[in-house]
Amino acid sequence: SKHLKKIEIMTNTYIEEMSLKWCHEAKKELITTSRQHMLARYDQIKSIVIEQNKDLSKFKLTQNEIHRMLTDIANSIQSWKGVDLRLCHKEKQSFRQYKRTATNWYNRN
């Protein structure tokens, strides 16, 4: 019983350590992906405006506005606590499994 308790404590500690590590990595990837998606969407909007022969100056963001938008998104992702592995039905044994769940959880919140 004492031995099993020690194993359980070690396992919980390992899970917490991996969760922190995986959360940090997932956040970095989410920030990179979000940045790429936002910039691609902005480029698409500009293309549509040009195709419609509209005045692009009305839709153009300054570099400061773009930077602020991307910083706000990154800050939102950084403030996210990540996946609580204790609430998962299936045990996460790799970063890939964690990342898939993290992406789904973050997108829902």
Side-chain angles (χ1 to χ4, degrees):
S1 175
K2 219 178 197 186
H3 181 67
L4 289 177
K5 188 80 163 168
K6 185 176 182 180
I7 291 172
E8 184 180 323
I9 290 169
M10 289 172 55
T11 302
N12 287 340
T13 302
Y14 175 77
I15 289 171
E16 288 173 18
E17 288 173 4
M18 292 312 295
S19 180
L20 287 173
K21 179 182 176 185
W22 290 341
C23 182
H24 177 73
E25 291 300 316
K27 285 179 181 183
K28 285 189 341 188
E29 289 190 22
L30 282 167
I31 289 169
T32 299
T33 302
S34 294
R35 176 180 168 70
Q36 292 168 345
H37 289 180
M38 290 304 295
L39 293 174
R41 286 182 185 117
Y42 180 56
D43 286 342
Q44 288 175 331
I45 290 168
K46 289 190 303 188
S47 295
I48 291 168
V49 169
I50 290 169
E51 283 176 20
Q52 299 294 321
N53 293 318
K54 303 288 181 185
D55 183 6
L56 184 60
S57 66
K58 294 178 182 178
F59 297 93
K60 195 165 181 154
L61 298 174
T62 67
Q63 285 302 109
N64 284 341
E65 290 170 326
I66 293 170
H67 177 73
R68 189 178 73 238
M69 175 183 64
L70 296 174
T71 299
D72 288 348
I73 291 168
N75 289 340
S76 173
I77 292 169
Q78 286 295 350
S79 69
W80 180 57
K81 292 182 174 118
V83 175
D84 185 345
L85 294 177
R86 296 169 299 175
L87 299 177
C88 294
H89 297 292
K90 285 186 169 181
E91 186 177 317
K92 308 300 176 207
Q93 297 184 1
S94 69
F95 173 69
R96 184 172 176 221
Q97 292 172 335
Y98 179 91
K99 188 182 123 192
R100 185 177 307 129
T101 302
T103 300
N104 289 336
W105 277 34
Y106 184 77
N107 288 339
R108 276 190 264 159
N109 295 314

